[in-house]
Amino acid sequence: MTFAFTLPTTSPVNFTTSFASSSAPSLPSAATTRRALLRDTLKRYKRLTPTEQYNNLPSLLSSISEYLPYLYTLDAYITSQDITPLIEFETEWRAVLSRRTVPTELPRIRRKGLDYEICFATTTLAYVHTLRARTFLASAIRAPPPTDNNATNTSVHLINQAKDQILTAASIFLYLQNRSTTKERDSSQTMPADVTTSIYNALWSLCLASATLLAVLKDDPYPSIVALQHDKNSKEWMYKAPTVPTRVRSLLLARLCMYSADMAGKAAAGVAAAPGSGAELKGYCDDMAKTAKAKACRFQGIDAEGQGKVGEAIGWVLAGKEVLGMVVSGDGDKGKLGRGIDMLKKAREERKMEKVPMEALLGPDAGKTEEAMVLNELERRWRRINDSVNFHNVPSTSSLLARLPTGRPMFPENQTWTPPKLSSSELSQLQTQAPNGGELDWIGADDSDDDIMPAPESSMPPGGFPRSQSTGYY
């Protein structure tokens, strides 16, 4: 339910060769030192295994958070003309969202101007917050079964933490989007897709879509019901019956899912509009839009089943499967062909789950496979009831899809991130200290492009819905 961004790496930079300040003489050298630490942390992170990367995110977040106040203070000093430019500043970053033209890793892209550095460094901060959300989701998967209120609250707390991380990333992308539209850029040089307005708008929309689905996840018992049915070691069914949403909650959750689908669709359009963007992120946005819309169909079906309209409930399930691109047969054979193909897909995915460690159980398709499993279980249950008791007609999926409700936002869309600045005491120290001069030569000593990601210890797909055989909210 969160995209697994690849973090960029960068070349060394010495701000003292490009900027000088009479009011804060140590600011360029201090910014250079903090940036060198961030660069080293990013390179070390990329060489780690996927499991080690999860554990290293707090350290990486700390390195970025320590560097950005110096960077934004330097930018503010340039704006106020308290810093004198010496030579034109240049920096290079690896563009991780750009289109791949060769199978090897994308090269670093060098551009002029401090704004290029600010955009990439701040974007990296948003990526880290998104990856932190994935760690909280993975922890929620590993949480013990909710045998008591404490276990249940643990899962909810972890999901809330993941949601907060995603909303923080959304506010950062919104800030970068606003900055890119107001900050004057050099029109003579083209920017990589990673730092374009279209990508920022797309990532902001994607984060809001992800946060909304996380909020829905807390009140959605059906993924955990399916997980229980496919977990051979679970005994939760003996002592705890799942809570099924009431009619009002089902309709509310359907509207939230439709909002998430709309935002994910906007994200896909934004990625497509960014020149040179890769297909991986767009495919993920498309998958999330389909997953969210299929969830809305399922909640509509739950509401219909609660009113005794089992035939309509089955129709909503079929509509959800149609949205996901699954095979849906005609009414004559009651979908046997479609269910047979779905069972093969489900068996294949379950075999994959058994081989993948818990740390890597985050699907690459934004939850499409898991939602398909839930829809299959509901269709099987409701068809059995309808074939033996109700004998209701199943309406066409086209007529039901036309009745989907409009989306409803859950979180404010105008919350923007505030760039950090150095405090008065920190600025006072920089104003009294002398610049380091040549003592920073060590920073550019190692400019090797050796930040190649090692072979993963297990499959680490680029984001998605957590896949687990454990219980809880999954």
Side-chain angles (χ1 to χ4, degrees):
M1 202 170 290
T2 56
F3 188 75
F5 292 99
T6 300
L7 296 184
T9 51
T10 181
S11 63
V13 164
N14 191 341
F15 290 104
T16 61
T17 61
S18 299
F19 305 105
S21 174
S22 57
S23 58
S26 295
L27 177 58
S29 60
T32 304
T33 302
R34 269 41 178 212
R35 189 188 188 279
L37 296 175
L38 170 60
R39 173 179 177 268
D40 182 67
T41 306
L42 285 171
K43 293 188 68 173
R44 291 177 183 273
Y45 171 86
K46 198 164 188 178
R47 294 166 181 164
L48 299 175
T49 63
T51 302
E52 292 171 334
Q53 287 180 346
Y54 274 117
N55 299 328
N56 191 250
L57 286 174
S59 174
L60 185 54
L61 183 61
S62 176
S63 297
I64 301 177
S65 300
E66 290 177 1
Y67 168 56
L68 287 181
Y70 289 87
L71 181 60
Y72 277 98
T73 302
L74 186 66
D75 181 57
Y77 269 50
I78 294 175
T79 304
S80 62
Q81 298 182 347
D82 288 336
I83 279 186
T84 303
L86 302 178
I87 60 174
E88 192 165 26
F89 179 77
E90 286 187 333
T91 183
E92 61 181 28
W93 285 79
R94 193 180 304 281
V96 295
L97 297 182
S98 298
R99 183 184 303 117
R100 292 180 182 272
T101 56
V102 292
T104 58
E105 192 170 28
L106 289 167
R108 296 177 185 154
I109 299 178
R110 176 174 289 273
R111 291 292 183 268
K112 299 177 181 179
L114 189 64
D115 186 64
Y116 185 67
E117 170 75 13
I118 291 175
C119 289
F120 251 110
T122 309
T123 301
T124 304
L125 174 65
Y127 292 166
V128 173
H129 278 293
T130 304
L131 295 176
R132 285 276 288 164
R134 287 170 58 83
T135 64
F136 289 124
L137 277 177
S139 299
I141 296 172
R142 295 190 296 268
T147 55
D148 50 41
N149 291 333
N150 291 333
T152 303
N153 291 335
T154 298
S155 298
V156 173
H157 178 65
L158 290 170
I159 296 175
N160 281 332
Q161 286 184 300
K163 178 194 64 181
D164 292 341
Q165 294 288 325
I166 291 292
L167 290 176
T168 300
S171 67
I172 295 174
F173 288 129
L174 181 59
Y175 164 79
L176 290 170
Q177 176 187 343
N178 295 336
R179 179 186 176 92
S180 64
T181 57
T182 57
K183 193 78 172 182
E184 184 177 352
R185 288 184 172 180
D186 185 1
S187 58
S188 62
Q189 56 180 6
T190 59
M191 292 294 178
D194 305 54
V195 291
T196 59
T197 305
S198 297
I199 282 292
Y200 290 146
N201 183 45
L203 295 178
W204 169 74
S205 300
L206 181 63
C207 285
L208 286 181
S210 299
T212 304
L213 283 186
L214 287 175
V216 171
L217 180 63
K218 294 188 301 179
D219 294 324
D220 185 2
Y222 285 92
S224 64
I225 296 174
V226 174
L228 287 175
Q229 294 176 349
H230 295 278
D231 186 0
K232 299 178 181 178
N233 299 321
S234 176
K235 299 295 186 293
E236 184 179 348
W237 58 272
M238 294 181 177
Y239 51 81
K240 181 177 175 61
T243 303
V244 178
T246 61
R247 181 173 185 267
V248 175
R249 283 177 54 207
S250 296
L251 295 178
L252 174 61
L253 295 177
R255 293 193 62 189
L256 294 176
C257 289
M258 286 303 299
Y259 172 81
S260 180
D262 293 340
M263 296 303 289
K266 292 180 180 179
V271 174
S277 60
E280 188 176 67
L281 179 59
K282 182 181 183 303
Y284 180 81
C285 295
D286 287 331
D287 286 342
M288 177 171 286
K290 294 176 183 178
T291 300
K293 191 173 182 179
K295 286 179 180 290
C297 292
R298 171 161 60 87
F299 286 121
Q300 289 289 97
I302 293 171
D303 179 67
E305 191 269 342
Q307 300 179 62
K309 303 175 182 178
V310 182
E312 180 178 331
I314 296 173
W316 280 114
V317 168
L318 296 179
K321 295 173 70 173
E322 182 178 307
V323 169
L324 293 178
M326 302 170 63
V327 177
V328 179
S329 302
D331 296 335
D333 59 0
K334 295 182 173 54
K336 292 181 180 179
L337 176 61
R339 293 200 303 275
I341 295 177
D342 296 337
M343 289 175 64
L344 291 177
K345 292 181 180 179
K346 181 174 67 177
R348 181 189 64 188
E349 291 297 327
E350 289 175 349
R351 285 195 298 271
K352 290 181 181 180
M353 291 181 194
E354 295 174 357
K355 299 178 181 179
V356 179
M358 267 301 196
E359 291 79 3
L361 288 177
L362 297 170
D365 55 3
K368 280 179 61 178
T369 302
E370 287 72 19
E371 185 60 28
M373 293 173 63
V374 175
L375 292 174
N376 278 337
E377 294 294 338
L378 288 178
E379 182 189 5
R380 179 182 59 82
R381 181 192 308 174
W382 290 342
R383 282 194 182 276
R384 185 172 63 246
I385 296 173
N386 196 47
D387 293 347
S388 59
V389 179
N390 298 96
F391 306 105
H392 292 169
N393 291 328
V394 178
S396 65
T397 57
S398 59
S399 64
L400 293 177
L401 289 174
R403 291 168 45 191
L404 279 171
T406 57
R408 171 180 171 177
M410 185 173 185
F411 306 107
E413 298 181 351
N414 58 351
Q415 285 189 347
T416 183
W417 178 73
T418 302
K421 299 286 182 62
L422 293 175
S423 63
S424 301
S425 59
E426 292 172 324
L427 283 175
S428 299
Q429 294 179 356
L430 295 176
Q431 291 168 356
T432 57
Q433 294 176 355
N436 291 329
E439 296 180 8
L440 297 174
D441 291 343
W442 62 272
I443 291 177
D446 177 20
D447 192 19
S448 59
D449 194 15
D450 57 353
D451 48 4
I452 304 301
M453 184 178 294
E457 61 184 21
S458 61
S459 61
M460 178 60 67
F465 189 95
R467 294 182 172 175
S468 173
Q469 292 175 321
S470 69
T471 57
Y473 283 84
Y474 303 89

